[in-house]
């Protein structure tokens, strides 16, 4: 499936070279909220090629280069280097091409788990892990028996529009330069123009942009570094 693109309308103060706010539908807001569910290891992995500030990229490389001989037998480097969001929500745009949440997955139990072998009809242990070869807390056996998981998915595009994601699609949303999100209204727009002391309405410009993987990575990086995210990403300030 091709990566998604999301349409966003910016209101720009051309004199001050600043994005005052953006107008967007539920798809962009759903994705912004989804970013909060990403594990830190996933964020570091995504931003390594974007010259990420700080030392977390060095920490990531340390684990990546660590020989397996130094890793505990019941641990797996993949669980740290390639963690996935535990959030299971359908209808989120696939804007991060390197971090698509799968609709299926594998979990592991020990041979003495309920539903496995002689314990199929009862008895056994209740433990399960998403990392292979973990040690069962009850019997100390390796957890290698595979169980498949299928996450909730929308039955159709119409279902996604009505019930998928986080927010309802009944209104347009306003996203501030610092990523504060609120439902949009005419009154809120006028209030903001007064707040920003906009006197020359002719200096305001509307610009429609389409966000893909590149823009989203820049947005994610800017959100960790400044409070003028939209201005930084779309005007290069």
């Amino acid at each position: 499936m091709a990566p998604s693109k999301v349409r966003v309308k910016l209101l720009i103060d051309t004199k001050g070279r600043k994005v005052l706010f953006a107008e967007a539908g539920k798809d962009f807001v759903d994705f912004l909220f989804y970013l909060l569910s990403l594990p830190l290891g996933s964020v570091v992995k995504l931003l390594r090629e974007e010259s990420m500030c700080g030392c977390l990229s060095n920490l990531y490389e340390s684990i990546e280069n660590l020989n397996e001989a130094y890793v505990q037998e019941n641990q797996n480097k993949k669980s740290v280097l390639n963690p996935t969001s535990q959030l299971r929500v359908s209808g989120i745009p696939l804007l991060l091409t390197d971090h698509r949440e799968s609709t299926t997955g594998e979990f592991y139990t020990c041979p003495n788990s309920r539903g496995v072998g002689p314990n199929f009809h009862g008895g056994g242990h209740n433990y399960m892990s998403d990392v292979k070869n973990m040690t069962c807390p009850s019997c100390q056996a390796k957890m290698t028996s595979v169980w498949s998981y299928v996450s909730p998915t929308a039955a159709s595009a119409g279902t996604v529009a009505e019930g998928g994601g986080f927010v309802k699609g009944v209104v347009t949303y306003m996203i501030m330069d610092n990523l504060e999100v609120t439902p949009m209204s005419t009154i809120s727009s006028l209030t903001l123009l007064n707040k920003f002391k906009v006197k020359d309405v002719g200096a305001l410009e509307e610009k429609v942009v389409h966000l893909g993987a590149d823009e989203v990575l820049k947005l994610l990086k800017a959100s960790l570094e400044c409070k003028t995210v939209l201005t930084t990403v779309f005007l290069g300030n």
Side-chain angles (χ1 to χ4, degrees):
M1 182 184 296
S4 302
K5 286 252 183 189
V6 170
R7 180 182 182 275
V8 176
K9 183 191 292 185
L10 307 175
L11 183 64
I12 301 171
D13 178 358
T14 57
K15 285 188 175 180
R17 284 194 54 77
K18 175 180 175 65
V19 175
L20 300 184
F21 60 84
E23 299 176 30
K26 71 176 265 65
D27 49 1
F28 184 52
V29 175
D30 282 341
F31 181 76
L32 288 178
F33 289 165
Y34 164 75
L35 291 178
L36 293 176
S37 74
L38 292 180
L40 184 58
S42 296
V43 174
V44 175
K45 179 184 177 182
L46 288 166
L47 296 180
R48 287 173 73 192
E49 296 182 0
E50 293 290 324
S51 301
M52 183 180 181
C53 293
C55 302
L56 285 176
S57 60
N58 296 332
L59 183 60
Y60 188 95
E61 288 182 12
S62 297
I63 302 174
E64 192 174 40
N65 297 329
L66 185 66
N67 191 294
E68 292 285 354
Y70 298 101
V71 180
Q72 292 279 10
E73 291 183 0
N74 65 340
Q75 297 298 326
N76 190 318
K77 291 199 300 182
K78 180 182 177 181
S79 63
V80 178
L81 297 175
N82 299 297
T84 58
S85 170
Q86 296 303 305
L87 200 62
R88 296 292 181 255
V89 179
S90 63
I92 303 295
L94 296 175
L95 297 179
L96 294 174
T97 55
D98 292 332
H99 192 79
R100 297 184 186 181
E101 297 303 332
S102 174
T103 56
T104 61
E106 291 185 344
F107 288 85
Y108 303 91
T109 61
C110 73
N112 299 312
S113 174
R114 289 186 179 180
V116 177
N119 302 307
F120 186 81
H121 296 290
H125 306 148
N126 292 320
Y127 299 106
M128 182 176 290
S129 173
D130 58 354
V131 178
K132 190 176 182 179
N133 289 323
M134 291 290 285
T135 300
C136 175
S138 292
C139 63
Q140 307 305 309
K142 295 296 182 184
M143 303 174 77
T144 56
S145 299
V146 181
W147 285 76
S148 296
Y149 168 83
V150 179
S151 68
T153 55
S156 65
T159 305
V160 172
E162 296 173 6
F166 292 98
V167 298
K168 294 182 178 180
V170 294
V171 297
T172 299
Y173 292 89
M174 177 185 293
I175 299 93
M176 303 301 297
D177 201 10
N178 63 359
L179 297 188
E180 179 183 342
V181 178
T182 57
M184 189 167 185
S185 69
T186 303
I187 295 176
S188 60
S189 301
L190 293 174
T191 301
L192 278 175
L193 294 180
N194 289 328
K195 176 182 177 180
F196 290 126
K197 297 181 172 57
V198 176
K199 297 180 179 179
D200 185 4
V201 180
L204 299 181
E205 174 187 321
E206 287 188 347
K207 180 181 180 181
V208 174
V209 296
H210 294 84
L211 278 73
D214 292 340
E215 294 81 9
V216 164
L217 286 178
K218 292 176 182 177
L219 186 147
L220 179 59
K221 181 175 184 290
S223 69
L224 297 172
E225 298 176 348
C226 67
K227 294 183 179 293
T228 55
V229 177
L230 300 181
T231 297
T232 299
V233 173
F234 298 108
L235 300 184
N237 289 8

